[in-house]
Amino acid sequence: MAGIWKTIEYWDQTLFLLINQDGSNRFFDSWLPWIREADMWAPLYLFLVVFAAYNYRWKGLVWILSLLAAIALSDIISSQILKVQIGRVRPCNDPFIQQYLRFIIKRCPSSFSFTSSHAANHFTIAMFIVTSTRHIIGPYIKLFFVWAFLICYAQVYVGVHYPLDILGGTIVGLSIGYAFAKLFNRQFGLEPGPLA
C-alpha cells in the first residue's frame, strides 16, 4: 500500500510542478491569484440571491438556504474532518517542494492541504445550481463547472494545493451539491414559469 501511495504522490507532485512551473506565464500570474479570491465573485453571489428571491419568492429563499447548507456541510467535511484526519502538508509549506515552487501570493495558509475546501465549496455551488436550475436556464448553466474548475486550477497554480487535493475536494463538492439539489427538487423544485 505504501508503494502505491508513493507512486500516486510522485505523479501528483509532477503534475503540480507542471502547472506551477511549466504552465506559468504573465497573464496567469496577473489573473489567477485574483480568480481564487471570494471578493472577486461577490457580484455573482449577490446576483444569485437577487435572482432566486425575485423570481421565486419563498421557494427562492428556500433555494438560497439549501445552497448555504450544502456549502456549510462541504466546508465542515473538507476543513474540519478530512484535512485534520489526513494531515497532508500544503506544497507551499513542504520543505521538499518549496525549493521548486513558484509562490505568487502573499501568504501560505497554515491549514492542511487535503482536501481543497475551495474545490469542495465551489463544486458544491456549481453542482447544486446546475442540478436545480438546468431545466429553467438551459445547458449554458453548466458553465458553472468551468467557473469552479478555474478557481481550483488557480489554487494549484499559485502553490497552495496539489492536484489530488483538488480532486478530493471536487468529489466531496459534487456529491454534496448533487444530494442537496435532488432533495430540494423533490421537496420544492423551481418551476420554469417566471423565466418563460
Side-chain angles (χ1 to χ4, degrees), residues 47-63:
F47 168 78
L48 290 171
V49 169
V50 171
F51 169 84
Y54 178 79
N55 284 294
Y56 296 102
R57 307 297 190 262
W58 71 269
K59 279 190 178 182
L61 293 176
V62 174
W63 184 85

Side-chain angles (χ1 to χ4, degrees), residues 149-178:
F149 172 80
L150 286 174
I151 291 170
C152 294
Y153 184 87
Q155 288 291 89
V156 177
Y157 186 87
V158 301
V160 297
H161 276 296
Y162 292 105
L164 192 59
D165 305 334
I166 301 298
L167 178 61
T170 298
I171 292 169
V172 169
L174 291 175
S175 302
I176 292 173
Y178 183 78

